[in-house]
Amino acid sequence: MLDLLQDNEFFKLLFKIIPAGIVLADANGYVHAINPEGSRMFCVEPLKDNAYRRGGDLFRCVNAKNGCGSNSNCENCILRANAVLAISGQTVSRQKGKFSVIEDNAIKEFVLQVTAAPLVYKQHTLAILIIEDISLITELSGLIPICSSCHNIRNEKGEWINISKYLQEHSEAEFTHDYCPACSRELLNKRVKVESTHK
C-alpha cells in the first residue's frame, strides 16, 4: 500500500537506528513497517518492502487466535487502542499497559510504554507507535509474600530469601549499606552500655 521507507534515505536510516521499537500501523490494525529494535523486542522478522500484516498476527498476540481484532480483549490492547487514538488525530504520550504473546509455546507478558501520534503521508493517515518494553522496571508489582517477623520474601519457587537478595534478583537496583536513624541510636546506645560496663 504505502512505500513510506523508500522515498527518503534519511528517514530510512533514522527509522533503523532509533533504539526504541517503532511501528507504523493503519486504522484496520495492519502493521506497515517495524524497525529493527521493534523486531528484536517482539522476536519477529522485519517486514519485507511493501509487505504488511495484522498486528496481532505479526506479534503472535494471545488474543489473535481468530484473527487480530476479533477478540473482545482487542479493544483494550495497548497497541491497538493507542493506534486508533493516533489515527483519530490524537497524540498519546507514555501510556502503560500489558501485552501478551505466544513465544516457544509459552505465554510471555510484556509491560509496554507506548507513545503514539498520527502520521499523514501522501493523503494516508497512519499511527506511529514508539514502544518501550518496561517489564524490568515494573517487575516488582502485585502482591509479594513477606514474613511479618524477619521480613524475608517468598520467591516464585517457594523459597524464603533475604529482601535485599530478592530485590537484586528482581530489579536493576544496586545497594549500599547504611543505618537508619532508629538503628543508629540503638547501636550507639548498645555501644555506650558496653563501654560503660568495661570501665
Side-chain angles (χ1 to χ4, degrees), residues 96 98 109 111 135 137-146 153-154 166-167:
K96 184 177 108 175
K98 293 182 179 178
E109 186 174 84
V111 179
S135 301
I137 299 168
T138 61
E139 190 172 330
L140 293 176
S141 62
L143 296 174
I144 299 174
I146 186 167
I153 291 178
R154 188 176 66 228
Y166 182 86
L167 290 173

Side-chain angles (χ1 to χ4, degrees), residues 20-67:
I22 298 179
V23 171
L24 297 176
D26 67 23
N28 297 315
Y30 285 94
V31 172
H32 290 264
I34 182 169
N35 74 339
E37 180 60 22
S39 293
R40 186 201 61 73
M41 181 187 311
F42 291 106
C43 298
V44 299
E45 292 293 319
L47 293 171
K48 304 288 184 219
D49 292 341
N50 299 320
Y52 54 94
R53 290 182 58 193
R54 279 212 179 259
D57 300 331
L58 175 66
F59 300 132
R60 301 172 321 280
C61 173
V62 296
N63 296 312
K65 294 174 189 148
N66 298 321

Side-chain angles (χ1 to χ4, degrees), residues 150-166:
C150 69
H151 299 112
N152 281 347
I153 291 178
R154 188 176 66 228
N155 67 15
E156 47 286 332
K157 296 175 188 170
E159 304 164 332
W160 289 92
I161 60 173
N162 180 279
I163 190 169
S164 61
K165 182 177 180 186
Y166 182 86

Side-chain angles (χ1 to χ4, degrees), residues 79-91:
L79 299 177
R80 177 179 277 276
N82 285 302
V84 168
L85 287 172
I87 289 168
S88 72
Q90 297 181 48
T91 297

Side-chain angles (χ1 to χ4, degrees), residues 127-186:
I128 183 166
L129 303 170
I130 301 170
I131 305 165
E132 296 175 87
D133 180 6
I134 58 170
S135 301
L136 280 177
I137 299 168
T138 61
E139 190 172 330
L140 293 176
S141 62
L143 296 174
I144 299 174
I146 186 167
C147 175
S148 298
S149 178
C150 69
H151 299 112
N152 281 347
I153 291 178
R154 188 176 66 228
N155 67 15
E156 47 286 332
K157 296 175 188 170
E159 304 164 332
W160 289 92
I161 60 173
N162 180 279
I163 190 169
S164 61
K165 182 177 180 186
Y166 182 86
L167 290 173
Q168 285 176 327
E169 291 175 358
H170 290 80
S171 73
E172 294 182 356
E174 294 182 21
F175 294 94
T176 63
H177 290 85
D178 202 351
Y179 291 102
C180 70
C183 289
S184 292
R185 282 190 298 275
E186 186 179 328

